[in-house]
C-alpha cells in the first residue's frame, strides 16, 4: 500500500508541476551528455563504468602468483640446465612392456651447478612415436613442485617406440609473460580505428583495462559484457561512437632483445629420448561404443591418451566412428543441417576442410584469410547443408583491412539468433585469448556457458562442441601456450562440470602433440582427423 501511495503522489506532482518536469529533463539530458563526452578535458567513460579496471583479477593472482618473482634475467640457481637433467623409467627398469601397459618416468631437473631444483613450474611434455609404423601418442606430466616430474604414457602398440621428453617452457619465461601482461594487459597490441562525420580517421590503443586515464571509451557493452576499452585518437575530434574497425599493431615493443633471446633459446628443447620394447598385441583393443551415441560427459572425464596414430590413422580411445569417412555417408548424415563455428582462424580452417569433404560452395573466402562471417553451402539445394564461420569477440587480433567491429561477436550472440531445430555448434577460444590474462578467458567462457544453458533449453536438438587447444610451436611471441592451455582447461572443465553431459569436449592436444605439430594452423592432412572426429560424434 505504501508503494501505491508514493506512486500516486509522484503522478500528481508531475501533473501539477510541468515546468519542473521540463527543467528536470533538460538537466538530465545535460548530465547524460557530460558523462559521454568531454568534461574538463577528460573523456568520460560510457554509461555503466563504475571504477578503474585493472589488468588482473583474483583469478589471475591465484594462478600466476608463483611466477611473479621471475621479472628479469637474473635467475640465479632456479633455471633448469637440461644437460644435467636425469630421466629414468621407474616401473620397469628393463624397458620391456606389453601392449596396454602404463609406462612411468621420473624426470629430475637440475641447475647448472648440478643441484636439484627445489621448486616446480617448468612445463614439460611427454609423447611416444615409432616412424616405421607411422604411430604416435601423447602422455601427461605431473609436477611435484620440487624439481621432480612424473611422466605417464601408455604402450598402445607393439614394437620399439621412442619415448620423448622435452621442455616446452621454463618457469622463468612464464614469469616474463605474467609480468608483462600484468603491466600492460595484453602481449599483443591492437588499435581501434575511428572515423568521424568529417571523414577523418584515427587510431587508438585498445585493451582490457583502464589504466590509461585520458580519453577512454568503454566498449564493454558492445563486447556483450566482456571488458574492452579503447583510447580516442584525439578527444577533440573523435567520439566513442566513431569506432568502426580494429587492426593489430606489430610495431609496439614487448620484450627486450635480451629477453627475446632467452625466450627463443629455452622453449621446445628436447631433454631425452628412451627406446622401449613393447610386446603383445599389434595394437590395444578399440572401444565398441559409437561416438554419436556416447554420453558427452565421457569426453571430459579422460586424461591423455585420448587416442593415438597408427599407420597414419587416428584411433579414438573413447568411442568408435560408425560412419565411413566418405562424401556420400557424410552427405546423408548432414543433409538439412546447419553447422555454426565461432572462434579463430583455426576453426575457419575447419570450414575449409568440411567444405572440401562435402564439396560445398563458398570456401574461397575462408582461404583468403578474411575475418568477416563466411558461409559455405551445398551445391545441390536439395541437400540443404550450411556451414558458417564467425570470429569470436574481442580480444581478437586481425591484420587484414576488413576487421569491422560488427564481425566480432561472442557465442552468446550467435546462439541467440540460431533458429534451426537441430544445429551443430562448435565454439573455440585459445590463441587470441592467450595474449591476455586468464581472467579474460574466464569471462568469455562464463558468458558462453550461460548462453549455452539457455540455448539448449530452447533448442534441445542442438549439438554443442567445445574445440580444445591444439599444440604448436610457431609464433609463440612469448606466450607460453602449454601453460595457457593447462590453465584454460582447468577453468573450463570446472565451469562446465554441471553441463558436461550436454556438451562434447574435443581434445585436439593429443592429436597435435603426438604428431609433433609445429604450425599455428595445422596442415590439411592433420585437420582431417580432427574434423572426422567432430563428425563422428554427429553421424
Amino acid at each position: 500500500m505504501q508503494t501505491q501511495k508514493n506512486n500516486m503522489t509522484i503522478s500528481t506532482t508531475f501533473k501539477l508541476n510541468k515546468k519542473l518536469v521540463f527543467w528536470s529533463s533538460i538537466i538530465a539530458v545535460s548530465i547524460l551528455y557530460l558523462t559521454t563526452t568531454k568534461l574538463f578535458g577528460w573523456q568520460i567513460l560510457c554509461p555503466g563504468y563504475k571504477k578503474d579496471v585493472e589488468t588482473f583479477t583474483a583469478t589471475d593472482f591465484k594462478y600466476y602468483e608463483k611466477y611473479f618473482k621471475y621479472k628479469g634475467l637474473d635467475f640465479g640457481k632456479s633455471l633448469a640446465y637440461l644437460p644435467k637433467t636425469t630421466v629414468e623409467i621407474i616401473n620397469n627398469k628393463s624397458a620391456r612392456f606389453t601392449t596396454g601397459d602404463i609406462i612411468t618416468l621420473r624426470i629430475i631437473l637440475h641447475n647448472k651447478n648440478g643441484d636439484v631444483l627445489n621448486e616446480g613450474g617448468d612445463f614439460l611434455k611427454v609423447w611416444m612415436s615409432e616412424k616405421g609404423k607411422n604411430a604416435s601418442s601423447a602422455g601427461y606430466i605431473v609436477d611435484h613442485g620440487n624439481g621432480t616430474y612424473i611422466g605417464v604414457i601408455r604402450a598402445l602398440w607393439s614394437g620399439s617406440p621412442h619415448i620423448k621428453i622435452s621442455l616446452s617452457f621454463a618457469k622463468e619465461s612464464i614469469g616474463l609473460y605474467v609480468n608483462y601482461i600484468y603491466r600492460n594487459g595484453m602481449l599483443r597490441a591492437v588499435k581501434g580505428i575511428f572515423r568521424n562525420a568529417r571523414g577523418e580517421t584515427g587510431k587508438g590503443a585498445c585493451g582490457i583495462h583502464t589504466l590509461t586515464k585520458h580519453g577512454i571509451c568503454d566498449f564493454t557493452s558492445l563486447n556483450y559484457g566482456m571488458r574492452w576499452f579503447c583510447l580516442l585518437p584525439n578527444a577533440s575530434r573523435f567520439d566513442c561512437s566513431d569506432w568502426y574497425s580494429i587492426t593489430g599493431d606489430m610495431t609496439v615493443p614487448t620484450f627486450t632483445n635480451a629477453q627475446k633471446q632467452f625466450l627463443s633459446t629455452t622453449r621446445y628443447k628436447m631433454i631425452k629420448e628412451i627406446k622401449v620394447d613393447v610386446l603383445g598385441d599389434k595394437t590395444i583393443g578399440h572401444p565398441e561404443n559409437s561416438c554419436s551415441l556416447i554420453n558427452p560427459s565421457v569426453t571430459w572425464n579422460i586424461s591423455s591418451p585420448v587416442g593415438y596414430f597408427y599407420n597414419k590413422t587416428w584411433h579414438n580411445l573413447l568411442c568408435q566412428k560408425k560412419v565411413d569417412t566418405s562424401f556420400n555417408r557424410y552427405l546423408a548424415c548432414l543433409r538439412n543441417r546447419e553447422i555454426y563455428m565461432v572462434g579463430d582462424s583455426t576453426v575457419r580452417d575447419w570450414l575449409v576442410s568440411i567444405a572440401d569433404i562435402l564439396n560445398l560452395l563458398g570456401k574461397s573466402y575462408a582461404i583468403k584469410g578474411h575475418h568477416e562471417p563466411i558461409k559455405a553451402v551445398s551445391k545441390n539445394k536439395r541437400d540443404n547443408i550450411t556451414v558458417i564461420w564467425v570470429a569470436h569477440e574481442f580480444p581478437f587480433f586481425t591484420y587484414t583491412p576488413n576487421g569491422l567491429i560488427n564481425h566480432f561477436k561472442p557465442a552468446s550472440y550467435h546462439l541467440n539468433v540460431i533458429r534451426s531445430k537441430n544445429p551443430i555448434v562448435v565454439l573455440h577460444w585459445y590463441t587470441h585469448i592467450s595474449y591476455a590474462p586468464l581472467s579474460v578467458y574466464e569471462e568469455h567462457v562464463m558468458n558462453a556457458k550461460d548462453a549455452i544453458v539457455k540455448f539448449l533449453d530452447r533448442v534441445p536438438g542442438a549439438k554443442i562442441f567445445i574445440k580444445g587447444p591444439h599444440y604448436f610451436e610457431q609464433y609463440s611471441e612469448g606466450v607460453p601456450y602449454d601453460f595457457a592451455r593447462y590453465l584454460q582447461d582447468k577453468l573450463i572443465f570446472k565451469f562446465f562440470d554441471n553441463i558436461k553431459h550436454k556438451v562434447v569436449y574435443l581434445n585436439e592436444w593429443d592429436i597435435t602433440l603426438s604428431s609433433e605439430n609445429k604450425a599455428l594452423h595445422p596442415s590439411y592432412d592433420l585437420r582431417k582427423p580432427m574434423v572426422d572426429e567432430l563428425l563422428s560424434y554427429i553421424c
Side-chain angles (χ1 to χ4, degrees):
M1 292 298 293
Q2 184 65 39
T3 303
Q4 291 178 347
K5 182 178 179 181
N6 287 343
N7 287 343
M8 291 175 63
T9 303
I10 292 170
S11 177
T12 303
T13 302
F14 269 43
K15 290 178 181 178
L16 296 176
N17 297 280
K18 292 182 179 179
K19 290 184 178 180
L20 177 61
V21 173
F22 172 78
W23 287 110
S24 296
S25 300
I26 294 298
I27 293 170
V29 170
S30 300
I31 292 174
L32 180 61
Y33 174 78
L34 289 173
T35 57
T36 55
T37 56
K38 289 191 303 177
L39 181 63
F40 304 117
W42 293 79
Q43 180 73 22
I44 305 302
L45 289 150
C46 298
Y49 174 71
K50 296 290 191 296
K51 60 181 179 180
D52 285 339
V53 178
E54 303 288 342
T55 56
F56 278 14
T57 70
T59 294
D60 301 306
F61 287 113
K62 175 183 177 181
Y63 289 105
Y64 294 158
E65 180 181 10
K66 68 179 178 182
Y67 294 99
F68 269 110
K69 61 184 176 183
Y70 305 114
K71 296 180 179 180
L73 294 177
D74 183 17
F75 302 125
K77 297 180 180 180
S78 73
L79 185 64
Y81 183 64
L82 299 187
K84 295 193 175 181
T85 298
T86 59
V87 181
E88 62 175 337
I89 297 173
I90 59 178
N91 62 332
N92 190 332
K93 301 293 184 181
S94 68
R96 292 174 67 87
F97 298 90
T98 301
T99 307
D101 283 352
I102 301 295
I103 304 172
T104 308
L105 306 101
R106 182 188 293 118
I107 305 126
I108 302 177
L109 299 183
H110 300 71
N111 61 23
K112 203 164 188 177
N113 295 334
D115 303 320
V116 176
L117 300 187
N118 59 13
E119 58 187 341
D122 294 284
F123 267 73
L124 282 62
K125 59 182 178 286
V126 59
W127 71 104
M128 185 164 67
S129 65
E130 187 171 358
K131 288 185 178 180
K133 299 180 185 295
N134 289 307
S136 60
S137 65
Y140 64 91
I141 296 286
V142 178
D143 183 350
H144 282 258
N146 58 1
T148 297
Y149 300 77
I150 298 297
V152 181
I153 197 158
R154 193 177 182 192
L156 299 172
W157 65 88
S158 60
S160 300
H162 286 244
I163 297 174
K164 302 176 183 180
I165 304 99
S166 76
L167 172 71
S168 286
F169 293 95
K171 57 186 175 297
E172 292 81 5
S173 65
I174 297 173
L176 293 178
Y177 161 79
V178 166
N179 280 283
Y180 185 91
I181 61 174
Y182 176 64
R183 295 190 307 270
N184 300 283
M186 298 190 304
L187 190 54
R188 262 193 188 184
V190 63
K191 289 189 175 180
I193 304 176
F194 294 74
R195 183 168 55 209
N196 61 25
R198 295 179 293 277
E200 299 170 319
T201 60
K203 296 179 181 178
C206 297
I208 59 157
H209 62 79
T210 62
L211 299 185
T212 303
K213 304 294 183 183
H214 182 73
I216 298 178
C217 296
D218 183 355
F219 293 133
T220 299
S221 61
L222 290 179
N223 205 33
Y224 294 83
M226 292 161 282
R227 53 184 153 150
W228 192 248
F229 309 91
C230 293
L231 288 173
L232 285 172
N234 185 313
S236 65
R237 301 204 318 268
F238 294 94
D239 293 323
C240 294
S241 60
D242 294 329
W243 182 45
Y244 80 98
S245 183
I246 64 162
T247 184
D249 185 356
M250 298 296 285
T251 65
V252 177
T254 51
F255 298 112
T256 65
N257 288 334
Q259 289 173 332
K260 289 178 181 178
Q261 176 69 13
F262 173 78
L263 291 170
S264 66
T265 56
T266 57
R267 66 187 180 215
Y268 310 125
K269 297 300 178 182
M270 186 64 70
I271 295 175
K272 193 166 186 178
E273 285 192 31
I274 301 176
K275 177 180 171 293
V276 296
D277 293 314
V278 181
L279 308 175
D281 296 335
K282 182 179 178 181
T283 62
I284 194 173
H286 295 159
E288 295 182 0
N289 296 331
S290 170
C291 294
S292 62
L293 298 177
I294 67 168
N295 188 314
S297 63
V298 175
T299 63
W300 299 81
N301 293 338
I302 188 171
S303 60
S304 298
V306 299
Y308 67 101
F309 281 105
Y310 190 85
N311 195 24
K312 296 185 178 180
T313 300
W314 178 254
H315 299 276
N316 189 337
L317 289 175
L318 299 177
C319 54
Q320 190 174 143
K321 59 174 178 276
K322 296 293 186 178
V323 175
D324 294 335
T325 57
S326 65
F327 169 77
N328 289 330
R329 293 285 185 146
Y330 280 147
L331 193 66
C333 167
L334 298 172
R335 189 170 281 121
N336 297 315
R337 300 197 75 171
E338 295 178 337
I339 301 176
Y340 296 85
M341 297 180 170
V342 184
D344 59 21
S345 53
T346 65
V347 184
R348 185 184 63 207
D349 288 344
W350 281 25
L351 179 145
V352 175
S353 294
I354 294 174
D356 276 346
I357 292 170
L358 298 173
N359 197 21
L360 304 180
L361 299 171
K363 72 173 183 179
S364 59
Y365 292 101
I367 294 173
K368 292 177 181 177
H370 291 173
H371 288 134
E372 69 264 30
I374 298 168
K375 179 188 288 189
V377 297
S378 49
K379 290 182 178 179
N380 189 334
K381 292 184 178 180
R382 287 178 297 180
D383 293 329
N384 194 28
I385 299 172
T386 302
V387 184
I388 296 170
W389 173 84
V390 289
H392 67 62
E393 65 279 11
F394 302 114
F396 198 104
F397 303 90
T398 178
Y399 300 91
T400 58
N402 60 322
L404 301 180
I405 60 174
N406 63 330
H407 293 162
F408 304 91
K409 295 178 180 178
S412 56
Y413 169 85
H414 296 289
L415 291 175
N416 191 48
V417 299
I418 292 174
R419 289 296 175 263
S420 58
K421 294 181 180 179
N422 58 348
I424 299 156
V425 181
V426 180
L427 307 176
H428 177 65
W429 312 264
Y430 183 39
T431 54
H432 294 261
I433 299 291
S434 298
Y435 285 100
L438 181 64
S439 58
V440 174
Y441 177 83
E442 179 181 39
E443 287 178 15
H444 291 236
V445 167
M446 288 302 294
N447 182 283
K449 183 199 170 180
D450 293 342
I452 288 170
V453 171
K454 295 175 183 176
F455 176 69
L456 289 175
D457 285 341
R458 180 171 64 84
V459 191
K463 286 217 169 190
I464 305 284
F465 296 86
I466 302 295
K467 175 183 177 289
H470 65 289
Y471 177 81
F472 69 97
E473 299 180 6
Q474 180 188 33
Y475 302 139
S476 76
E477 300 175 57
V479 177
Y481 277 108
D482 294 46
F483 171 68
R485 169 256 178 176
Y486 169 75
L487 293 182
Q488 290 174 7
D489 270 3
K490 202 176 186 71
L491 288 189
I492 198 168
F493 275 55
K494 174 185 174 182
F495 296 149
F496 276 63
D497 185 63
N498 63 337
I499 63 167
K500 64 185 180 183
H501 59 292
K502 297 181 178 181
V503 179
V504 174
Y505 179 78
L506 298 171
N507 181 324
E508 308 303 346
W509 193 260
D510 281 22
I511 290 180
T512 46
L513 173 56
S514 61
S515 61
E516 302 182 21
N517 174 62
K518 299 294 190 292
L520 169 61
H521 295 92
S523 67
Y524 183 88
D525 288 341
L526 188 51
R527 294 200 310 268
K528 183 65 165 57
M530 297 181 188
V531 171
D532 282 338
E533 189 164 85
L534 163 68
L535 296 177
S536 74
Y537 289 104
I538 302 164
C539 302

